[in-house]
Amino acid sequence: MVFNRKNMVLGFVSIVLSPLLWAQVGIFRADAFSVSPMQETLFEQEKFNIHSNQKVWENPYWLALLHYKAASQLSTDLSKDWVSDIETPTFFLTPNGKLDPKAELLANLKSAKQDAEYGCRFPARLRLLQHLYPKASLSTPKEATCVALGQWVQAFDQAQLSLVFPSQDLEQPASVFGHLFLMVSQKAYSLNAKTAAVTASANDTSTVQYLYKGLTGGYTGTFKLHPFYQPLKEYLMVKGRDVWIYPIRLQPSQVRFWLEHLWELRHVSSRYYFTSKNCAYQVIESLRILDPQSFSPAVDLAMLPAEGLKQIDSVFGLEVPKVEVSLNRRIHWYARDMAFSRRMALRGKVESGAFSDADIQALSDSEWHYASLLLQKRKHSTSLSQEKRQTASKLFARFRVFGRARRPIPDLYMTALDPLKSHEPHRMGLSYSGQRLEWHSRFLYHSVEDPETGFDPGVDLEVGNMSAVIAPKPQLSEFGAWNMAHLTPHDDSIAWQLEATWRSSRFRPLGGWQTFIGAGKSLAWNHNWTTYGLFGLGRMDSHSWATPILRVGGFHSIPFSFRTKHLSFRPLWEASTAGESATRAEIGAFVQEDNRFSIGVKALHEEAVKEEPLQQLSAEWLLYF
């Protein structure tokens, strides 16, 4: 339901025309906000009881309900000063309510006693105050002033709450780590459900301005409700992102309390940061009111959607997900059953529309699905002209006349992409080569040498790589500012890579800053083998920063079982050359277990003009946390 002026007017008219209708809605009953046995299960007593040295306004449920945090978010010490994430003044009843939970509690308690409309504005707060002060005479909402709230409760009666995770998209700066929002439905899954998502209020056309504001808190985020089928269509058809739906294991009383709090949040906003106070942060903060002490303290460093997903799973538990597979994924799946030349020929015929009925009938099942999916993608494309989209739509309708039974993507294949099963974003480890022992660390997030469960093969998104020699003499050996690569093989996408890495000249001939920006093509020869070639400009040695560089590489996954453990053997290779000035070749193989750690070996060869070549064989151990 979208709350606008028109809907509010219609709601008011309905109450005038049907005065007896809302008498049946439980929100108006005298016991609607009273403490009941159901209420006792909502606020768990062992976590809710106030400690002898704890003030009422420092109760974790009250702090969570008004989104208060300790002034230092890295500390949970209750002696710290407080600040609320909410920026909208009307969310508070006192002028300094954003910074003063005590004054705000007293003002809310006074209003709950004297104002009959208090429960219409803040139903979740009233429910909590009744539990904090069971002997206080608090006002109950009046029917005449709570029409909209009654409609809200009626619309979501016996609702199911689910997490929705659209997969990551490296081609969109704000979605490189994925997205996370909530879905409210009468069933565990429904296209007619409502999504509750926090999005940045961004209307900038400049990418630079968009990134700057998103990283510095220049935007605000607000919970908004939309029908689920609207974002679902955009993600699957236009953006090519898989959508994972995880029902949350919640009691009906918890869902009801969350919905009442969402009612309080519908017109308020808070600062939005792409890396920290983002979609995942806001979802967790809305759910924190159900069990505030079980969630990890909020921090201002980074909140990744996949990590938010795991944190919610650890607190409440998530059901087996429902997966909506994107057009890109299905196109890629059928493409792997055909030769590259045949795929290109079919793509050309799709773009020209040169299909007769006889041509369509002569296609194999894989070819028919591949071509029809390409047409479906063109039909929904926002980059094509209206005429081309209409042509694709008409041809797609002809394909459906000669329909074939769909061969679904195996569950095992999709399970391997489950973001809930992905490895942790931080990494550290050790490597040993000859007489040298090195320590490695990485702040974020994933590379092709990491366990690939939960990720598309060929995705690199690394920030803050650092290596240091431990023995024989401690010294910084490498620092990677960033490395982003999109090597996932799709027929209609370009492979690309951006890298900036500093390496010590003491340990290797290719010392100093090494940069690369390039593009090319990535190809999948079957469901396991992937190769790529990239050409671009960069710096490999002390020569020009715009030296032409060629990179070729590949990776291959061979999963196998060893006793009761599931392991994955993953060989990798890459070679780079910058004319006659520098060459670098690396080959490695990693055995990975349960996304917790990897062990492997690497062989490295580096050679630069007027420098002694480096040949190194090392053993590595990597831990994810």
Side-chain angles (χ1 to χ4, degrees):
M1 180 182 297
V2 178
F3 287 92
N4 52 34
R5 186 174 298 175
K6 180 180 178 181
N7 285 342
M8 296 299 288
V9 171
L10 290 176
F12 179 76
V13 172
S14 66
I15 186 63
V16 173
L17 296 179
S18 304
L20 297 179
L21 174 63
W22 302 109
Q24 303 303 317
V25 181
I27 199 73
F28 302 121
R29 295 196 304 267
D31 63 344
F33 289 100
S34 62
V35 179
S36 63
M38 181 183 75
Q39 182 87 359
E40 296 294 337
T41 64
L42 176 61
F43 304 114
E44 298 182 29
Q45 292 304 302
E46 66 274 11
K47 298 177 181 178
F48 186 84
N49 287 341
I50 300 172
H51 302 298
S52 57
N53 61 344
Q54 185 184 76
K55 310 295 190 299
V56 178
W57 53 87
E58 292 175 345
N59 184 280
Y61 283 91
W62 175 252
L63 296 175
L65 199 58
L66 277 82
H67 298 248
Y68 286 113
K69 303 290 184 307
S72 171
Q73 290 198 357
L74 296 177
S75 173
T76 57
D77 185 356
L78 294 179
S79 66
K80 300 291 184 181
D81 292 332
W82 301 100
V83 60
S84 174
D85 286 334
I86 304 300
E87 297 288 339
T88 307
T90 55
F91 186 73
F92 307 99
L93 299 185
T94 60
N96 200 36
K98 180 178 173 67
L99 303 174
D100 193 342
K102 176 182 178 180
E104 189 64 22
L105 175 66
L106 296 176
N108 276 261
L109 182 60
K110 180 179 178 181
S111 183
K113 290 179 178 180
Q114 299 177 357
D115 186 358
E117 298 183 9
Y118 175 82
C120 301
R121 293 178 58 194
F122 305 113
R125 291 190 205 179
L126 179 58
R127 193 177 295 277
L128 177 59
L129 290 175
Q130 286 181 323
H131 198 99
L132 284 169
Y133 300 96
K135 297 182 180 180
S137 299
L138 305 182
S139 300
T140 56
K142 291 184 178 180
E143 176 181 345
T145 56
C146 287
V147 175
L149 179 58
Q151 291 175 316
W152 174 272
V153 173
Q154 181 87 344
F156 294 114
D157 185 42
Q158 300 297 318
Q160 165 74 54
L161 200 58
S162 301
L163 285 172
V164 182
F165 183 95
S167 59
Q168 62 186 3
D169 185 1
L170 285 185
E171 297 178 1
Q172 299 182 54
S175 302
V176 293
F177 298 112
H179 188 30
L180 192 67
F181 56 91
L182 289 154
M183 182 180 75
V184 190
S185 63
Q186 295 296 336
K187 300 178 181 178
Y189 175 73
S190 171
L191 293 177
N192 294 320
K194 296 287 192 271
T195 61
V198 177
T199 54
S201 55
N203 52 11
D204 300 294
T205 56
S206 169
T207 302
V208 174
Q209 189 177 27
Y210 179 70
L211 289 174
Y212 173 77
K213 286 187 176 181
L215 294 173
T216 59
Y219 296 123
T220 56
T222 306
F223 267 105
K224 295 182 180 178
L225 288 179
H226 298 286
F228 181 53
Y229 63 81
Q230 291 180 352
L232 182 66
K233 178 181 178 181
E234 183 178 1
Y235 284 126
L236 299 182
M237 304 298 184
V238 180
K239 296 182 177 180
R241 299 167 64 179
D242 302 325
V243 177
W244 300 75
I245 302 109
Y246 301 84
I248 310 175
R249 294 184 179 129
L250 296 175
Q251 298 297 323
S253 60
Q254 292 177 306
V255 177
R256 167 68 178 265
F257 188 59
W258 182 86
L259 285 167
E260 291 171 353
H261 183 51
L262 184 63
W263 171 265
E264 300 173 350
L265 294 175
R266 70 196 189 284
H267 296 312
V268 302
S269 60
S270 56
R271 289 292 170 192
Y272 193 97
Y273 297 80
F274 288 163
T275 57
S276 55
K277 294 185 178 180
N278 51 19
C279 58
Y281 176 91
Q282 302 295 349
V283 166
I284 286 178
E285 289 309 297
S286 74
L287 292 171
R288 187 186 295 273
I289 65 168
L290 304 178
D291 196 348
Q293 293 179 310
S294 294
F295 283 98
S296 301
V299 297
D300 274 334
L301 297 177
M303 171 57 74
L304 304 182
E307 300 314 299
L309 192 71
K310 295 174 185 176
Q311 189 173 156
I312 295 170
D313 179 48
S314 68
V315 175
F316 301 115
L318 301 177
E319 304 285 354
V320 176
K322 162 73 176 176
V323 188
E324 291 288 354
V325 184
S326 68
L327 270 178
N328 281 357
R329 179 80 59 196
R330 288 187 281 156
I331 290 171
H332 180 48
W333 177 258
Y334 286 107
R336 288 187 166 190
D337 292 335
M338 293 178 286
F340 179 74
S341 59
R342 181 56 176 161
R343 300 201 303 266
M344 293 299 99
L346 284 174
R347 183 173 289 275
K349 295 188 70 174
V350 164
E351 292 176 355
S352 64
F355 276 102
S356 65
D357 289 352
D359 291 334
I360 298 174
Q361 288 181 299
L363 296 174
S364 69
D365 286 350
S366 292
E367 292 172 340
W368 184 91
H369 284 292
Y370 180 73
S372 65
L373 289 169
L374 287 177
L375 286 169
Q376 193 174 3
K377 183 175 181 178
R378 289 176 66 83
K379 184 177 73 169
H380 294 286
S381 175
T382 57
S383 61
L384 295 178
S385 65
Q386 180 69 19
E387 181 181 358
K388 290 184 177 180
R389 292 200 301 269
Q390 289 178 349
T391 300
S393 181
K394 292 177 181 178
L395 185 53
F396 177 69
R398 286 175 50 208
F399 261 74
R400 296 190 66 178
V401 173
F402 305 97
R404 311 288 178 88
R406 178 185 294 183
R407 177 164 55 88
I409 298 178
D411 292 340
L412 185 61
Y413 179 83
M414 293 308 300
T415 299
L417 299 169
D418 187 350
L420 191 59
K421 299 179 180 179
S422 62
H423 64 75
E424 300 302 317
H426 313 300
R427 189 182 75 182
M428 62 179 296
L430 296 171
S431 68
Y432 180 77
S433 174
Q435 301 295 320
R436 197 165 83 218
L437 179 66
E438 283 190 85
W439 169 79
H440 306 278
S441 68
R442 181 185 67 202
F443 180 57
L444 297 173
Y445 169 56
H446 177 71
S447 72
V448 293
E449 68 185 24
D450 293 331
E452 63 179 346
T453 301
F455 297 91
D456 265 319
V459 170
D460 259 13
L461 187 55
E462 295 188 293
V463 179
N465 283 1
M466 186 177 294
S467 298
V469 177
I470 299 176
K473 182 179 179 180
Q475 184 176 341
L476 182 66
S477 61
E478 183 174 306
F479 172 73
W482 72 80
N483 179 29
M484 295 179 63
H486 192 291
L487 307 175
T488 304
H490 289 304
D491 290 341
D492 58 348
S493 65
I494 297 174
W496 54 267
Q497 184 174 18
L498 300 171
E499 182 181 10
T501 303
W502 177 87
R503 294 186 174 97
S504 172
S505 58
R506 177 179 177 181
F507 301 106
R508 50 189 54 187
L510 301 185
W513 277 102
Q514 298 180 23
T515 61
F516 178 73
I517 175 171
K521 196 65 182 174
S522 179
L523 300 175
W525 301 105
N526 54 40
H527 289 283
N528 293 319
W529 268 109
T530 298
T531 58
Y532 58 89
L534 304 171
F535 180 77
L537 300 175
R539 185 178 190 268
M540 287 184 66
D541 54 13
S542 58
H543 291 73
S544 169
W545 288 81
T547 303
I549 297 176
L550 175 67
R551 286 187 172 181
V552 293
F555 45 90
H556 183 47
S557 295
I558 310 175
F560 64 94
S561 295
F562 178 73
R563 296 181 181 174
T564 61
K565 302 292 184 182
H566 177 74
L567 306 176
S568 177
F569 176 66
R570 191 167 169 78
L572 313 163
W573 60 276
E574 181 176 276
S576 302
T577 180
E580 297 180 355
S581 62
T583 58
R584 183 176 188 271
E586 184 175 28
I587 184 169
F590 285 82
V591 177
Q592 302 148 352
E593 178 183 0
D594 295 341
N595 291 338
R596 293 176 299 176
F597 65 85
S598 299
I599 55 175
V601 294
K602 276 186 179 179
L604 176 68
H605 173 85
E606 287 186 352
E607 188 170 351
V609 175
K610 299 180 182 181
E611 297 283 350
E612 289 293 327
L614 170 68
Q615 293 181 341
Q616 176 179 295
L617 180 66
S618 62
E620 292 193 358
W621 173 82
L622 302 173
L623 174 69
Y624 302 88
F625 62 97

